[in-house]
Amino acid sequence: MKRDLSASSMLTHLTGQIGDERKFCVAFSGGLDSTVLLAALVQLRAEACPDLSLRAIHVHHGLSQFADHWVAHAQTFCQQLQVQLEVVHVSVDAKKEGIEAAARAARYQAFADHLTAGETLLTAQHLNDQCETFLLALKRGSGPAGLSAMAAHSERNGYMLLRPFLHLSRQQLEQFATDAGLQWIEDDSNQDPRFDRNFLRLKVLPSLYERWPHFPQAVSRSAALCAEQEALLDELLSESLLAFTDHNRSLDISAMASLSALRRQALLRRWLAEQGARMPSRDQLQRIWDEVALSRDDAAPQFQLHHLSVRRFRQRLYVLPPMASLKQVVLPWDTALPLRLPDGLGQLQACEGAAQGAESIRLPRDDEQVSVRFQAPGMIEKVGREHARQSKKLWQELNVPPWQRERMPLVYYNEQLMAAPGLFITRQALAQANEPQWQVMWRPSADKKES
């Protein structure tokens, strides 16, 4: 394994990795790897790329007694380099995923929240980190997607992520830091073998490196081959996935049922990945198909996949985000003003007068108070139907999925249902001859996906 890396070689390497990008934010922990990355980028800016826009983010997890000391070190180092530093404090909830995964999730969410428009995130994972990531995926029984480990270039949460050190070893970074006289911090938790990555780093990999010095490079090649296979599958399956999904990104169960099990599982994985779901295990994937897609016609199946849920409606599968219950919500409405709905559902707006093609309702009388609710128990007398129907039957008739039926805004006058904007009005909402009328316009939030 090559152990030295001159300053000129480092700058040449970085130039090749960053390409034409010029606006960067470095994920700066203050450890060896990010210290080398930030220092090398500053040198690159001074010697070859004066148009390089560079700043750093330090995430304060609050997990170590030395966390404040690390912030002080990061501030001092960035001041010396004349690099703007932003310190972001996060809270880590390890109840569901464990401390390592929770800290990583909090860290990347902080990056997503604090990157500016057009800014590319740079992280300093290196060849040995790639080896550890591959082995951890192998331990979990991952397929080619997981064994692809980390990509040098990727898109994550709406921003570009570059890892320019993935082909450099930790020894090379240490030598560069020593030659440059750099100082860095050591995270005390890195010596705790209770964490899986530390166990590999401290107990397993040293023996493998001693026996096979080029083991990290071999693992990196295997990860790259797995990534190539995944990319090929993506290309081969993209046309089918596009044909089987609609504008709501729901998946056609009938079309999927005609495929082989292997092809179906591959498509399910890609469909879930496209919607931000964490990759399920093989058992979870099979349960999604058996327990949700193939459940009884009269069932309302649901499979929880971390914070998302997979549900079925009218022979289609949906991936849904967490949703707050709105059953008990009653919102008084001054119709002179738009009404913002809870849980990101958008807003309602009143427009006086009858509009062509729109369903108008009579104006409220002096003794009627306007409110918006999200459930309609009992019978509903919908205009256009001869008889009243139970609300459940009416929602089915209108093709409204079960998870939306208590999240549709409903306009009430006192205790009487008047309208479900965009869906129906009731007989009680009809205006008499020459009686003034108005329409209710519902503008759902563009980023709230529920169907």
Side-chain angles (χ1 to χ4, degrees):
M1 182 185 300
K2 184 178 179 182
R3 293 183 177 274
D4 60 339
L5 184 71
S6 67
S8 60
S9 296
M10 171 64 84
L11 299 191
T12 300
H13 175 82
L14 278 179
T15 301
Q17 291 295 307
I18 66 175
D20 296 330
E21 298 294 328
R22 287 296 180 268
K23 189 176 181 181
F24 295 111
C25 182
V26 175
F28 183 63
S29 68
L32 167 70
D33 315 331
S34 60
T35 296
V36 170
L37 179 57
L38 191 58
L41 286 166
V42 168
Q43 187 175 351
L44 180 65
R45 181 175 63 183
E47 297 184 12
C49 299
D51 59 337
L52 208 64
S53 173
L54 190 61
R55 70 184 190 99
I57 288 181
H58 178 88
V59 178
H60 185 302
H61 298 89
L63 298 175
S64 171
Q65 59 179 325
F66 304 111
D68 292 335
H69 168 72
W70 298 341
V71 169
H73 170 85
Q75 290 171 332
T76 299
F77 186 73
C78 287
Q79 287 172 0
Q80 292 171 349
L81 296 181
Q82 297 183 333
V83 172
Q84 176 191 346
L85 174 70
E86 181 177 5
V87 177
V88 180
H89 292 255
V90 299
S91 58
V92 177
D93 182 4
K95 294 178 181 178
K96 295 182 179 179
E97 302 175 289
I99 193 68
E100 289 179 284
R104 181 170 57 253
R107 187 162 57 250
Y108 278 100
Q109 187 59 55
F111 298 146
D113 292 341
H114 291 270
L115 287 172
T116 62
E119 203 169 40
T120 296
L121 180 68
L122 294 178
T123 61
Q125 292 98 342
H126 49 70
L127 184 65
N128 302 82
D129 293 326
Q130 183 78 311
C131 184
E132 294 162 8
T133 300
F134 181 93
L135 292 178
L136 288 171
L138 190 65
K139 183 266 296 183
R140 292 192 299 269
S142 299
L147 295 175
S148 299
M150 296 178 286
H153 301 74
S154 62
E155 184 174 343
R156 183 175 186 144
N157 294 333
Y159 61 85
M160 288 301 299
L161 170 62
L162 300 185
R163 298 182 175 98
F165 284 173
L166 277 186
H167 298 295
L168 301 179
S169 69
R170 178 178 172 84
Q171 290 90 335
Q172 289 175 298
L173 301 186
E174 285 178 343
Q175 186 61 56
F176 180 92
T178 301
D179 292 345
L182 300 177
Q183 300 294 318
W184 63 89
I185 61 175
E186 293 287 354
D187 187 341
D188 53 307
S189 69
N190 287 341
Q191 301 303 312
D192 188 346
R194 291 178 301 172
F195 299 126
D196 289 345
R197 187 175 291 271
N198 289 347
F199 173 76
L200 282 175
R201 186 178 299 160
L202 300 171
K203 303 293 186 181
V204 177
L205 286 169
S207 296
L208 295 177
Y209 294 162
E210 183 179 3
R211 175 79 176 190
W212 300 298
H214 295 286
F215 185 76
Q217 288 89 338
V219 168
S220 180
R221 286 195 298 273
S222 292
L225 289 171
C226 289
E228 288 178 8
Q229 293 300 309
E230 277 298 291
L232 177 60
L233 281 175
D234 287 342
E235 184 177 329
L236 293 175
L237 294 173
S238 61
E239 187 175 339
S240 295
L241 188 58
L242 181 63
F244 295 167
T245 53
D246 63 7
H247 67 284
N248 290 320
R249 296 193 290 178
S250 69
L251 191 62
D252 187 336
I253 293 173
S254 298
M256 294 283 287
S258 64
L259 305 177
S260 69
L262 288 176
R263 188 179 182 89
R264 182 168 58 243
Q265 288 184 346
L267 282 167
L268 278 173
R269 287 192 184 97
R270 281 152 182 80
W271 174 68
L272 291 168
E274 281 188 356
Q275 301 189 67
R278 181 174 297 180
M279 194 53 54
S281 66
R282 178 182 293 180
D283 177 65
Q284 288 176 317
L285 206 63
Q286 191 62 48
R287 289 182 60 192
I288 288 172
W289 184 251
D290 292 340
E291 299 174 16
V292 182
L294 301 184
S295 63
R296 301 188 324 271
D297 290 342
D298 60 348
Q302 179 175 352
F303 188 88
Q304 199 68 28
L305 198 59
H306 302 285
H307 68 289
L308 301 175
S309 62
V310 181
R311 301 188 67 169
R312 185 195 68 190
F313 180 66
R314 299 283 169 88
Q315 286 302 300
R316 301 194 73 90
L317 289 177
Y318 295 81
V319 175
L320 302 171
M323 299 179 194
S325 174
L326 303 178
K327 289 177 62 175
Q328 305 304 320
V329 173
V330 178
L331 303 174
W333 186 14
D334 175 2
T335 57
L337 300 172
L339 178 67
R340 183 162 297 280
L341 302 174
D343 204 34
L345 290 177
Q347 69 175 16
L348 296 181
Q349 187 167 357
C351 303
E352 289 196 19
Q356 185 70 27
E359 290 188 310
S360 303
I361 63 176
R362 64 176 177 82
L363 288 175
R365 303 184 179 106
D366 292 341
D367 61 345
E368 292 178 323
Q369 300 297 316
V370 182
S371 65
V372 173
R373 311 178 188 192
F374 296 89
Q375 64 172 339
M379 306 294 288
I380 298 176
E381 296 181 272
K382 175 182 175 293
V383 169
R385 296 196 91 266
E386 183 176 354
H387 302 290
R389 298 208 73 183
Q390 289 184 346
S391 58
K392 179 181 178 180
K393 297 294 185 182
L394 184 57
W395 290 132
Q396 291 175 343
E397 178 184 307
L398 294 170
N399 204 34
V400 176
W403 55 87
Q404 287 187 346
R405 293 172 189 172
E406 292 178 348
R407 296 175 60 80
M408 305 294 293
L410 305 172
V411 178
Y412 276 76
Y413 291 174
N414 293 340
E415 299 302 314
Q416 178 61 55
L417 174 63
M418 294 286 120
L423 291 177
F424 65 84
I425 65 173
T426 65
R427 293 181 186 176
Q428 293 80 5
L430 290 174
Q432 302 299 319
N434 299 321
E435 189 175 9
Q437 302 175 56
W438 64 303
Q439 302 87 40
V440 183
M441 308 301 293
W442 178 25
R443 294 182 173 86
S445 176
D447 60 353
K448 192 70 177 179
K449 179 183 74 66
E450 296 187 3
S451 64

